[in-house]
């Protein structure tokens, strides 16, 4: 397997090579990863599983201010109760769910 840096770079390339990940591709990857179970389709994390595990609201600036690569790494490697997805989703699919996370962002208040 590739090292952490290698992975981050490949994901960065995957993100760069799909500047506008197709909406349906993004939605399909979000579904495949079952992100909804914990984060909800709105990213609020207000599902029963999300509340039980303390999933953070993905729409908030603290999450959104991270780079695409940082978000991709959390999804790939997991963090605390967030499962790792590097064996479940391809690099392209991870890039696609990053675009989903982005699309959840709340407009600045
Ligand atoms: C089994 C429940 C579960 C599933 C499924 C899940 N997550 Fe998470 N996720 C969590 C939890 C819990 C956290 C908070 C981790 C922590 O405490 O640091 C989290 C954190 C995150 C974060 C980091 C937010 C931050 O604090 O910066 C991102 C991004 C994220 N999830 C995206 C996803 C995506 C995309 C998917 C689908 C591929 C997914 N998650 C699937 C439970 C889940």
């Amino acid at each position: 397997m590739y090292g952490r840096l290698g992975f981050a770079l490949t994901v960065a390339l995957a993100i760069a090579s799909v500047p506008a990940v197709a909406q349906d591709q993004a939605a399909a990857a979000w579904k495949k990863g079952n992100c909804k179970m914990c984060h909800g389709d709105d990213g609020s994390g207000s599902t029963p599983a999300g509340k039980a595990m303390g999933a953070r609201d993905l729409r908030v600036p603290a999450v959104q201010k991270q780079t695409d690569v940082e978000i991709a790494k959390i999804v790939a490697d997991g963090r605390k109760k967030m499962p790792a997805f590097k064996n479940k989703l391809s690099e392209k699919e991870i890039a696609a769910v990053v675009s989903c996370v982005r699309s959840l962002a709340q407009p600045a208040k």
Side-chain angles (χ1 to χ4, degrees):
M1 285 302 278
Y2 28 68
R4 291 175 72 89
L5 183 63
F7 183 84
L9 284 176
T10 359
V11 171
L13 288 175
I15 289 168
S17 63
V18 268
V21 180
Q23 244 0 85
D24 54 343
Q25 229 181 315
W30 181 262
K31 206 170 167 191
K32 185 173 169 191
N34 207 7
C35 317
K36 170 186 174 171
M37 180 175 86
C38 298
H39 294 288
D41 271 334
D42 61 356
S44 65
S46 58
T47 63
K51 281 189 194 154
M53 291 185 210
R56 201 169 177 185
D57 187 336
L58 299 179
R59 302 170 298 185
V60 303
V63 173
Q64 295 292 333
K65 72 170 193 235
Q66 299 173 95
T67 66
D68 287 353
V69 172
E70 283 168 332
I71 293 176
K73 275 185 70 162
I74 297 170
V75 176
D77 297 335
R79 204 173 69 195
K80 297 187 196 165
K81 291 188 177 152
M82 162 80 185
F85 281 93
K86 63 182 161 212
N87 296 325
K88 293 184 195 131
L89 300 177
S90 71
E91 285 152 17
K92 278 205 167 149
E93 286 167 334
I94 290 179
V97 291
V98 170
S99 88
C100 285
V101 172
R102 289 287 181 232
S103 71
L104 299 168
Q106 284 173 330
K109 281 184 192 139

